[in-house]
Amino acid sequence: ADGEVSEAIDFARYYARTADVPPGVNADALGVVAVVSPWNFPYAIPAGGVIAALMAGNTVVFKPARATAQTAWLLARQLWAAGVPRDVLHFFPCDSTTGRSLITDPRVACVVLTGSYETARKFQGWRPALPLLAETSGKNAMIITAQADRELAIKDLVRSAFGHAGQKCSAASLAILEAEVYDDPIFRRQLRDASASLHSGAATDPRSVVTPLIIPAGDDLRRALTTLDAGEEWLLEPRQLGDDPCAWTPGIKLGVRPDSWFHRTECFGPVLGLMRAASLAQATERQNATDFGLTAGLHSLDADEIAWWKERVLAGNLYINRPITGAIVQRQPFGGWKRSCIGPGAKAGGPNYVRSFCRMSDAGAAKNDYRAAWAEHFTVEHDPSALRAESNVFRYRPCRGVVLRLDAREQETIERAKLAAQFTGAPLVISIRDEESDAQFIARLPELAKRAEFLRTVRTPGEDVLRAAHDAGLNWINAPLLACGRIELTRWLREQAVSETRHRYGQVPALKPSR
């Protein structure tokens, strides 16, 4: 509770500081924003979504998870008491049938979702033209190399896997160990003992570290807790405590195979799988092999290994020599890549998030400033927290590609797109509806999605096009191409936060920053 309230305060202060827009840009509120929040962080996550949408001038309909509606009601009453008008913030707990009516109501201009990838796809199926900002699932792995401090790695792995009973989208459900570490009987014993020593029990028991699941285990989690697949064995077998279907002790699987069910499936509970890798390169390949890209970790004291890994891992939040959970506003803005994110991709708690809730346009005859924005902002690694003991870099990376779909040849838009692609390095494909019919474009989308991740339009296309784009895995951005590079180029890039511990056991700077 203390951590969540602190994070909510951080969101409020930070979003108030980052709600401005650059000169040359008009920013209008979207209108009505529906904030659909999860149960696992019932106070901080909805506070962030509601406050960001309000800071951009929108009206908010706040639909909390039913399991944590009382906490959400407390948050709504606090915001009203602080001066947010009741006709600007609406509290709307409801069942799934009524929730569908909310999501599909055309008066709702945008939906903010924190939940599973399957839920996000369900929303898109209900309403293909829905502007959706979603932070979704994760299948997150921590790599531990032979150059790691193994005892520290165990401490951080146990915390990442079993804190919150594994009910975090950022939790480590997989550890990929270099062969020397995986085969080390001392490492296995210490990892087993550290996990088995965690007290499992009621949340009202102050000894409890692994507290009950909020709901009984679903099919995927129950399979993970009770079933071994080919080649797997228990290093620590989980146990259900008594008759309570929500109460479990931690579990650790050995022998998880590449491309196996457990390698690729988010389980969302207190179960960890261990995988063996011959090298850091092989471990990173397997870390990147899932459909998700939320958090990723590395434990190594070798600066060259760290530098190599940072340039190759495909995730939104990277953690080096520390746990892979517990992102802090501004310090580690939070949000993923691949199937861990739907929408433009601005990170919660980051400098671009509030602007996601605005409809932006050029203010008059704006002058293109892509070159200056690229040099002054996008090629710079930002660390506003400036801690001695921990580096927290916010940086931009090229997206895999952009498909620009226009109704007709709009020369200024095309020129801006080509210039944005040139600066960011994002491959660009241009499709003109007057030259390529919707049916022809839809037929090409699965192939285009193999080398692109954004579908960019300036007017809302037909539902058939959007359904096909969603099915292909493309993120849709519907907005004019702006002359302002500080805004426009964010739509051609992916945000990444890299957090690296710079001390060992409190001694600074015993570990040199990676190159």
Side-chain angles (χ1 to χ4, degrees):
D2 175 71
E4 288 214 49
V5 173
S6 297
E7 185 174 9
I9 293 168
D10 290 346
F11 276 133
R13 290 174 169 164
Y14 183 74
Y15 289 155
R17 296 200 309 268
T18 56
D20 61 317
V21 295
V25 176
N26 290 323
D28 299 313
L30 297 176
V32 178
V33 174
V35 175
V36 182
S37 62
W39 48 256
N40 61 337
F41 288 90
Y43 190 87
I45 287 179
V50 168
I51 290 167
L54 292 174
M55 281 303 309
N58 299 284
T59 296
V60 173
V61 178
F62 175 21
K63 182 213 169 297
R66 295 185 71 194
T68 52
Q70 284 181 305
T71 304
W73 173 236
L74 171 65
L75 172 62
R77 285 189 292 128
Q78 288 173 326
L79 290 168
W80 289 328
V84 177
R86 284 177 176 258
D87 60 351
V88 171
L89 171 61
H90 302 260
F91 182 70
F92 192 62
C94 60
D95 60 20
S96 58
T97 301
T98 310
R100 177 169 181 169
S101 298
L102 171 67
I103 301 304
T104 56
D105 193 310
R107 293 173 295 177
V108 172
C110 176
V111 171
V112 183
L113 169 70
T114 303
S116 70
Y117 176 76
E118 290 74 21
T119 300
R121 292 290 289 119
K122 185 193 302 182
F123 287 6
Q124 289 178 327
W126 292 345
R127 185 180 165 192
L130 170 69
L132 179 62
L133 308 178
E135 186 263 290
T136 52
S137 308
K139 182 64 182 182
N140 314 298
M142 178 186 289
I143 294 173
I144 303 174
T145 78
Q147 303 303 315
D149 179 328
R150 298 183 191 184
E151 291 183 354
L152 181 61
I154 289 169
K155 170 179 171 288
D156 290 344
L157 177 59
V158 169
R159 177 177 169 184
S160 301
F162 302 125
H164 231 69
Q167 298 174 107
K168 294 183 178 183
C169 55
S170 58
S173 61
L174 190 67
I176 307 173
L177 313 178
E178 203 167 6
E180 181 181 318
V181 180
Y182 185 94
D183 297 338
D184 181 0
I186 297 175
F187 179 90
R188 291 192 187 190
R189 174 178 56 79
Q190 289 178 329
L191 175 60
R192 185 191 185 283
D193 289 350
S195 303
S197 68
L198 301 176
H199 189 274
S200 300
T204 51
D205 184 343
R207 298 173 300 166
S208 297
V209 177
V210 182
T211 49
L213 305 172
I214 192 169
I215 55 175
D219 292 343
D220 286 343
L221 179 55
R222 176 161 285 279
R223 173 176 170 177
L225 288 166
T226 60
T227 305
L228 293 170
D229 289 339
E232 297 176 354
E233 60 180 292
W234 292 114
L235 177 65
L236 177 63
E237 186 170 3
R239 295 179 294 106
Q240 182 178 327
L241 300 176
D243 297 329
D244 186 350
C246 295
W248 289 84
T249 63
I252 304 175
K253 295 183 175 190
L254 289 170
V256 174
R257 294 181 176 177
D259 299 321
S260 64
W261 177 85
F262 191 84
H263 180 197
R264 293 186 172 274
T265 305
E266 182 186 40
C267 299
F268 222 70
V271 59
L272 170 68
L274 304 184
M275 182 183 291
R276 188 179 190 272
S279 63
L280 173 59
Q282 187 180 73
T284 305
E285 179 183 353
R286 294 173 179 178
Q287 190 175 43
N288 288 337
T290 73
D291 292 329
F292 306 106
L294 189 53
T295 67
L298 172 70
H299 259 270
S300 172
L301 300 181
D302 186 293
D304 290 331
E305 285 190 338
I306 293 170
W308 184 92
W309 177 80
K310 283 198 300 186
E311 298 310 309
R312 289 164 176 82
V313 66
L314 303 178
N317 282 69
L318 312 186
Y319 297 98
I320 300 163
N321 294 322
R322 50 151 292 166
I324 70 169
T325 62
I328 296 174
V329 176
Q330 180 183 274
R331 194 181 301 178
Q332 301 118 12
F334 190 72
W337 295 1
K338 300 191 285 186
R339 286 193 177 183
S340 296
C341 173
I342 289 180
K347 288 175 170 289
N352 303 309
Y353 192 67
V354 174
R355 295 167 184 161
S356 302
F357 298 93
C358 299
R359 186 177 290 107
M360 298 191 188
S361 59
D362 288 331
K367 183 180 179 181
N368 185 298
D369 66 350
Y370 291 6
R371 183 179 300 277
W374 181 251
E376 295 168 10
H377 181 77
F378 293 100
T379 58
V380 176
E381 294 193 339
H382 306 271
D383 187 355
S385 301
L387 304 178
R388 286 187 63 220
E390 184 178 75
S391 166
N392 292 288
V393 168
F394 176 83
R395 63 184 187 174
Y396 297 90
R397 287 292 178 263
C399 72
R400 288 191 299 111
V402 175
V403 178
L404 176 63
R405 175 70 169 173
L406 300 174
D407 290 339
R409 283 201 169 271
E410 302 173 19
Q411 199 56 40
E412 184 177 55
T413 296
I414 291 172
E415 288 176 1
R416 288 180 179 178
K418 289 180 177 179
L419 190 60
Q422 175 186 328
F423 277 112
T424 63
L428 172 64
V429 174
I430 299 174
S431 172
I432 310 297
R433 192 165 183 261
D434 286 349
E435 303 166 10
E436 182 180 31
S437 70
D438 282 352
Q440 293 170 321
F441 181 61
I442 288 169
R444 276 212 303 154
L445 273 175
E447 185 61 33
L448 291 175
K450 295 178 182 178
R451 48 197 172 96
E453 59 184 292
F454 290 119
L455 170 64
R456 186 68 184 275
T457 61
V458 297
R459 296 173 189 83
T460 304
E463 285 198 353
D464 288 346
V465 169
L466 290 174
R467 286 187 189 279
H470 298 330
D471 289 345
L474 288 167
N475 278 314
W476 175 45
I477 301 176
N478 188 49
L481 276 80
L482 302 180
C484 176
R486 177 63 185 83
I487 301 297
E488 179 57 42
L489 297 185
T490 62
R491 297 164 176 168
W492 296 74
L493 299 161
R494 277 298 193 197
E495 299 178 0
Q496 190 176 63
V498 186
S499 183
E500 179 180 351
T501 297
R502 284 181 163 172
H503 69 88
R504 288 189 69 199
Y505 303 103
Q507 301 300 310
V508 183
L511 178 62
K512 295 179 181 179
S514 62
R515 292 191 294 274

